[in-house]
Amino acid sequence: MKHPIPPVGPDPAREALLAAYRDLLLRWNATINLVAAKTAADIDRRHIADSLQLLPLLPTEGPIADLGSGAGLPGLVLAAAMPEREIHLVESDKRKAAFLIEAAGTLKLTKVKVHATRIEQAALPPLAAVTARALAPLAALLVHAAEFLAPGGIAIFPKGRTAEQELTSAAADWHFTVERFASRTDPEATILRLSEISRAGH
């Protein structure tokens, strides 16, 4: 069963930051492939609204990391919505990491830290939450979540039509509690919120 996601209310300050982020992303996207051209034309729904819907699912305090952050989706979008939160963006592609650094500086998101390295080599604090969008199969993501999450921490992973298949596959090696949320932007997508993550047999 999928739960509905609580709506995110209007916020003029957040909207201004997101508009500046959108402009910067589209400008960089002309020379660096941050998002696919076909989705850039629908950037507000396909990328920004899609990322922003994770906001009500996050814990109310504690540091967050976005793994394989790419264009900052969802990490920079969430940072724009919560400028007071400590958010770590992990991105091994140096050009994409350069975009993240410039965007965080342009938007004056002083709590954002960009880690231009592979996820396995990132030095992160114990996290309240970890996110990743279109990065890897669930079983691979759980390896990182188990390493970086603080006790009681949660993982939030948007998934497409393979969500149930990935859950079944991951359950062979992992224990976790899962909540499913219906995406507001893609009828075929499910957002998984996982807690109590541990390796089977541990």
Side-chain angles (χ1 to χ4, degrees):
M1 175 184 169
K2 293 185 186 181
H3 303 291
I5 298 175
V8 177
D11 180 327
R14 181 183 68 223
E15 296 306 318
L17 282 175
L18 289 174
Y21 164 73
R22 179 199 306 113
D23 292 345
L24 192 63
L25 173 57
L26 291 174
R27 193 158 69 246
W28 275 63
N29 207 55
T31 53
I32 296 175
N33 186 30
L34 293 168
V35 297
K38 65 181 180 182
T39 63
D42 192 15
I43 192 170
D44 286 333
R45 182 182 67 86
R46 292 288 295 274
H47 295 298
I48 294 178
D50 191 60
S51 296
L52 197 60
Q53 68 179 333
L54 305 190
L55 189 62
L57 306 182
L58 290 165
T60 56
E61 57 186 11
I64 299 164
D66 183 30
L67 306 180
S69 195
L73 303 160
L76 265 181
V77 172
L78 296 174
M82 304 180 295
E84 75 289 349
R85 290 290 287 276
E86 178 185 340
I87 297 186
H88 298 261
L89 308 179
V90 183
E91 177 51 58
S92 62
D93 184 303
K94 297 298 186 282
R95 296 180 306 164
K96 292 177 180 177
F99 167 76
L100 295 174
I101 291 167
E102 173 153 332
T106 299
L107 302 180
K108 297 181 171 55
L109 298 172
T110 58
K111 295 285 192 177
V112 168
K113 180 172 175 53
V114 178
H115 302 259
T117 186
R118 291 174 57 81
I119 297 167
E120 297 82 358
Q121 297 165 339
L124 300 173
L127 300 168
V130 62
T131 64
R133 182 175 180 259
L135 177 64
L138 181 60
L141 295 174
L142 289 175
V143 174
H144 303 311
E147 178 183 358
F148 293 125
L149 286 176
I154 62 168
I156 301 177
F157 300 136
K159 287 291 177 182
R161 64 184 72 177
T162 62
E164 291 305 318
Q165 180 182 331
E166 291 188 43
L167 282 167
T168 300
S169 178
D173 297 306
W174 294 91
H175 295 307
F176 48 79
T177 298
V178 61
E179 298 167 278
R180 299 165 178 84
F181 295 88
S183 171
R184 289 175 166 272
T185 59
D186 182 350
E188 293 190 335
T190 302
I191 297 167
L192 304 177
R193 183 165 67 180
L194 299 117
S195 57
E196 301 174 322
I197 299 166
S198 64
R199 280 194 182 273
H202 285 227

